[in-house]
């Protein structure tokens, strides 16, 4: 019996194996194409499920969501069920529902849509930024839309932080200097210099008193000169390249550089007497000199020497290795050397990068040498650096030589001062400067209507029945600007010409036959000459001030700052 049972069990096992074999024969091996398709589907699903970008699959005809990957579910805080079978604008993804529907119709027509920065909201209302790319393709004889959604919120936040950092640096270095110093300090300097000029003309002063006044006047002029150079260093201005004598520019900045670097640093200039002409913006060259001098000073905390050299240089194949930053050609070379701590190769490789600094936190903005680099490139020049730790640093700038002679800066015309009998409207919120200006004009025979408030000026002009051929106004005024004031005054007084004054660098005013600009602090002679020049100019239809000239950016005459 047991034998039979054993034989029966054997038969059952054999039968089972035969059934398995038959089943294997029924499941014929997959073809290569079928196997490849299956493997492709597996790979796609794996990528779909593990992708670190959001993926949505939509029915191309109806726009209904048919699939969504886990990353997008997590990113937007919606469940799978809240996505599936819905349209995009039904689940609150997009702020603008109509725009979303329009974009979907555009996608149906064009088969491809891309948004580099699309604002979305999560289910909880959190704002995010995404890159959104959609395209249409076919699957199993059916068109679908695949939307790839990449979260760029962190990148946008980083970009905003960088922009804010740049803006903060600008506000600190430019806004405080150009805005605060130039406006307030120049108003004070205008009063100091103006009264010095008036006192110096008096004949009843004792000689010791006259000498003291002369010293005050000279100190004021030095302060005016320093302020002007600081403005050239910090203001944003349109580049005005001219044919330039580099030696003359260096000589003009020598005193200012000495003040900047301090008493413990020796400044030496070695200038080639037969130096060629370059083409550059003089204020920008001054800024280069200041930045390099400050950098050299900071590299010598215990004091040292700065050497500024100029020379004509011909670079060819024989000496090109000594000047790797310049191509063969004819140059004027400006060299600024120091005896400071020097720098290694790694530091040199990053020295012109914006915000790169080897100084302690809070000391310097990291923009000085990057500004130098930008100015040099803008001047069609090149710059190189030679330095070793403990052996100081030398910057060499190569300006292409020009055949032209240096331009001559226009000088103030030595014509006799002429006053007049016209009535002038004077608008200045700084009372001491307004009083001084009024006194200068009245001494020249003019009648002056003065005000420190632009709104009151409009009322004053309305009450006055006589002609008002000229208004002198500060650009920066309480309430509204001098430019706005001029525009409002033109409605009632179209014959009134305008002379703008300002110590700010960033204001913009319109200029032309009916309006001009006088930079603060102005001298008595500059004011009187400019007033008479404007009054005597041919009359044209008044044009409302436009933003066509920048106080900090356009070409100006050396005497009065008229913007051309």
């Amino acid at each position: 019996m047991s034998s039979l049972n054993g034989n029966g069990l054997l038969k059952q096992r054999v039968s089972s194996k035969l059934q398995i074999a038959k089943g294997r024969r029924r499941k014929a091996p997959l073809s290569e194409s079928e196997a490849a398709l299956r493997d492709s589907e597996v790979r796609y699903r794996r990528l779909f499920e593990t992708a670190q970008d959001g993926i949505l699959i939509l029915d191309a005809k109806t726009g209904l969501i048919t699939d969504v990957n886990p990353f997008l579910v997590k990113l937007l805080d919606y469940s799978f069920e809240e996505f599936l079978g819905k349209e995009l604008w039904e689940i609150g993804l997009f702020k603008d529902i109509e725009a979303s529907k329009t974009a979907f119709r555009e996608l149906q027509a064009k088969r491809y849509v891309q948004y580099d920065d699309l604002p979305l909201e999560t289910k909880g209302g959190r704002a995010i930024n995404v890159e959104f790319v959609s395209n249409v393709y076919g699957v199993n004889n059916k068109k679908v839309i695949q939307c790839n959604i990449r979260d760029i919120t962190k990148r946008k936040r980083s970009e905003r932080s960088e922009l804010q950092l740049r803006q903060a640096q600008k506000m600190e270095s430019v806004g405080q200097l150009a805005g605060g110093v130039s406006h307030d300090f120049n108003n004070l300097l205008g009063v100091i210099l103006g009264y010095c000029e008036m006192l110096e003309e008096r004949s009843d002063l004792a000689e010791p008193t006259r000498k003291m006044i002369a010293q005050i006047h000279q100190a004021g002029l030095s302060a005016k000169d320093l302020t002007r150079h600081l403005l050239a260093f910090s203001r944003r201005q349109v580049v005005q390249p001219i044919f330039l004598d580099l030696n003359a520019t260096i000589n003009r900045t020598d005193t200012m550089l000495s003040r900047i670097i301090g008493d413990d640093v020796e400044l030496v200039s070695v200038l080639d007497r037969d130096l060629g002409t370059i083409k550059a913006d003089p204020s920008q060259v001054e800024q280069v000199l200041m930045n390099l001098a400050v950098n050299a000073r900071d590299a010598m905390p215990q004091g040292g020497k700065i050497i500024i050299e100029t020379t004509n240089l011909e670079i060819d194949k024989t000496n090109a290795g000594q000047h790797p930053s310049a191509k063969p050609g004819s140059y004027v070379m400006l060299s600024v050397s120091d005896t400071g701590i020097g720098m290694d190769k790694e530091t040199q490789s990053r020295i012109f990068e914006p915000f790169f600094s080897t100084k302690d936190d809070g000391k310097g903005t990291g923009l000085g040498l990057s500004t130098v680099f930008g100015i040099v490139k803008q001047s069609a020049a090149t710059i190189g650096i030679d330095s070793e730790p403990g052996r100081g640093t030398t910057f060499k700038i190569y300006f292409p030589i020009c055949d032209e002679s240096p331009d001559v800066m226009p000088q103030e015309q030595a014509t006799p001062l002429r006053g007049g009998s016209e009535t002038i409207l004077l608008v200045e919120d700084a009372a001491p400067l307004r009083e001084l200006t009024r006194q200068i004009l009245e001494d020249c025979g003019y009648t002056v209507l003065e005000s420190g408030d632009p709104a009151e000026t409009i009322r004053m002009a309305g009450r006055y029945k006589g002609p008002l051929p000229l208004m002198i106004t500060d650009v920066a005024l309480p309430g509204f600007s001098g430019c706005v004031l001029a525009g409002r005054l033109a409605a009632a007084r179209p014959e009134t010409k305008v002379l703008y004054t300002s110590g700010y660098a960033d204001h913009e005013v319109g200029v032309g036959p009916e309006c001009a600009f006088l930079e603060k602090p102005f001298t008595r002679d500059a004011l009187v000459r400019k007033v008479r020049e404007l009054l005597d100019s041919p009359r044209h239809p008044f044009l409302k001030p436009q933003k066509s000239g920048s106080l900090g950016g356009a070409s100006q005459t050396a005497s009065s700052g008229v913007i051309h």
Side-chain angles (χ1 to χ4, degrees):
M1 188 73 178
S2 62
S3 175
L4 289 174
N5 289 337
N7 289 335
L9 181 60
L10 179 61
K11 289 179 180 179
Q12 289 177 4
R13 289 179 177 176
V14 171
S15 176
S16 297
K17 290 181 178 180
L18 288 173
Q19 292 294 329
I20 294 172
K22 289 179 181 179
R24 287 176 177 172
R25 285 196 296 269
R26 285 196 298 268
K27 293 181 180 180
L30 296 174
S31 67
E32 291 184 4
S33 61
E34 290 174 330
L37 178 61
R38 183 192 64 184
D39 292 342
S40 176
E41 291 173 347
V42 171
R43 286 195 299 271
Y44 173 80
R45 198 66 201 177
R46 187 177 298 148
L47 290 171
F48 183 86
E49 298 289 343
T50 61
Q52 296 304 298
D53 287 339
I55 303 175
L56 275 175
I57 305 298
L58 286 71
D59 186 305
K61 185 176 181 180
T62 65
L64 298 178
I65 299 172
T66 60
D67 206 353
V68 57
N69 74 335
F71 183 89
L72 192 60
V73 170
K74 182 179 180 181
L75 176 65
L76 298 175
D77 299 330
Y78 286 86
S79 66
F80 282 94
E81 292 74 19
E82 289 175 307
F83 276 103
L84 299 182
K86 304 289 182 60
E87 295 172 317
L88 288 179
W89 45 87
E90 285 186 272
I91 56 176
L93 279 174
F94 299 90
K95 297 179 181 179
D96 191 333
I97 295 177
E98 289 303 317
S100 301
K101 293 181 178 180
T102 301
F104 178 72
R105 289 192 292 269
E106 180 184 359
L107 176 59
Q108 288 178 312
K110 297 183 177 179
R111 303 175 63 84
Y112 181 85
V113 171
Q114 177 175 345
Y115 300 99
D116 294 328
D117 184 6
L118 184 67
L120 297 184
E121 282 188 358
T122 66
K123 185 177 180 179
R126 179 171 55 91
I128 61 173
N129 297 86
V130 300
E131 287 179 347
F132 192 94
V133 179
S134 299
N135 61 292
V136 180
Y137 59 90
V139 176
N140 297 327
N141 298 319
K142 185 178 180 180
K143 290 183 178 180
V144 299
I145 296 173
Q146 178 169 321
C147 304
N148 291 77
I149 302 171
R150 173 167 295 178
D151 184 9
I152 59 171
T153 306
K154 290 183 179 179
R155 190 180 80 192
K156 297 299 293 184
R157 188 181 299 123
S158 176
E159 291 174 355
R160 285 192 293 269
S161 297
E162 182 178 353
L163 183 62
Q164 290 169 355
L165 176 62
R166 290 177 181 272
Q167 185 67 18
Q169 296 285 358
K170 176 184 173 183
M171 289 297 294
E172 177 182 339
S173 62
V174 178
Q176 291 182 4
L177 181 61
V181 173
S182 67
H183 182 67
D184 298 332
F185 192 51
N186 279 332
N187 280 344
L188 297 173
L189 284 175
V191 175
I192 294 170
L193 294 174
Y195 281 117
C196 281
E197 288 181 324
M198 296 176 71
L199 287 171
E200 286 174 333
E201 291 189 350
R202 291 180 54 171
S203 58
D204 59 340
L205 296 178
E207 190 60 28
T209 302
R210 188 175 298 279
K211 287 182 178 180
M212 287 189 287
I213 293 171
Q215 289 294 324
I216 295 172
H217 194 181
Q218 185 58 47
L221 291 174
S222 297
K224 175 184 174 182
D225 184 62
L226 177 59
T227 304
R228 184 169 59 250
H229 284 89
L230 287 173
L231 284 171
F233 169 76
S234 62
R235 78 174 72 184
R236 291 189 309 167
Q237 58 182 357
V238 177
V239 178
Q240 294 291 324
I242 63 172
F243 295 111
L244 190 65
D245 179 352
L246 182 57
N247 286 347
T249 303
I250 294 172
N251 288 330
R252 281 198 306 272
T253 60
D254 185 76
T255 302
M256 179 191 60
L257 293 179
S258 296
R259 295 193 188 103
I260 291 175
I261 63 178
D263 296 334
D264 57 346
V265 176
E266 181 184 2
L267 181 63
V268 178
S269 297
V270 183
L271 309 181
D272 189 335
R273 293 184 178 181
D274 298 320
L275 198 66
T277 302
I278 67 171
K279 189 172 186 180
D281 186 314
S283 66
Q284 288 199 326
V285 173
E286 291 170 0
Q287 184 170 342
V288 166
L289 289 167
M290 283 189 287
N291 286 15
L292 293 179
V294 168
N295 186 76
R297 178 202 65 192
D298 293 343
M300 300 180 292
Q302 306 302 321
K305 179 186 292 187
I306 298 176
I307 303 174
I308 300 177
E309 297 182 73
T310 60
T311 187
N312 296 320
L313 182 66
E314 190 73 28
I315 298 180
D316 53 29
K317 294 182 179 179
T318 61
N319 62 355
Q322 302 173 28
H323 309 279
S325 61
K327 297 178 180 180
S330 301
Y331 296 92
V332 169
M333 187 180 74
L334 168 64
S335 171
V336 180
S337 305
D338 64 63
T339 57
I341 58 177
M343 62 186 80
D344 56 27
K345 295 297 182 182
E346 182 179 355
T347 302
Q348 292 179 47
S349 68
R350 302 187 59 194
I351 198 67
F352 296 119
E353 293 181 10
F355 301 108
F356 176 75
S357 178
T358 58
K359 301 173 185 177
D360 295 335
D361 291 342
K363 295 183 178 180
T365 62
L367 295 172
L369 292 179
S370 63
T371 300
V372 169
F373 183 82
I375 290 174
V376 167
K377 291 299 181 182
Q378 199 169 13
S379 302
T382 57
I383 185 170
I385 180 174
D386 180 20
S387 183
E388 291 183 17
R391 299 186 60 180
T393 300
T394 299
F395 288 94
K396 294 181 179 180
I397 302 175
Y398 304 85
F399 295 94
I401 286 183
C402 301
D403 295 332
E404 290 79 359
S405 299
D407 291 330
V408 178
M409 297 295 291
Q411 300 295 320
E412 185 173 328
Q413 298 179 357
T415 56
L417 294 179
R418 291 191 301 113
S421 58
E422 294 91 341
T423 299
I424 296 175
L425 188 58
L426 173 63
V427 190
E428 170 61 63
D429 60 316
L433 184 59
R434 184 174 69 248
E435 169 63 22
L436 170 66
T437 307
R438 180 189 62 77
Q439 187 171 343
I440 292 174
L441 293 173
E442 287 181 343
D443 287 348
C444 293
Y446 298 107
T447 299
V448 180
L449 305 178
E450 61 175 294
S451 173
D453 178 78
E456 172 60 27
T457 301
I458 296 293
R459 292 190 290 268
M460 182 186 299
R463 292 192 300 266
Y464 186 71
K465 302 304 180 182
L468 284 175
L470 177 64
M471 175 176 69
I472 302 174
T473 178
D474 190 5
V475 175
L477 292 169
F480 48 88
S481 71
C483 300
V484 174
L485 171 61
R488 294 183 182 180
L489 183 64
R493 295 276 187 171
E495 79 282 0
T496 304
K497 300 176 182 178
V498 182
L499 175 58
Y500 296 105
T501 66
S502 182
Y504 270 111
D506 292 332
H507 291 294
E508 293 184 343
V509 297
V511 294
E514 305 299 323
C515 44
F517 172 67
L518 190 63
E519 186 175 8
K520 292 180 178 179
F522 46 79
T523 65
R524 183 199 59 169
D525 288 6
L527 172 65
V528 173
R529 285 197 172 91
K530 182 51 60 180
V531 166
R532 192 67 259 164
E533 175 186 323
L534 200 52
L535 287 170
D536 291 342
S537 63
R539 190 172 303 282
H540 300 275
F542 183 86
L543 299 177
K544 184 178 179 180
Q546 304 290 326
K547 289 189 175 182
S548 58
S550 170
L551 304 192
S555 175
Q556 303 178 5
T557 64
S559 59
S560 62
V562 178
I563 306 174
H564 297 291

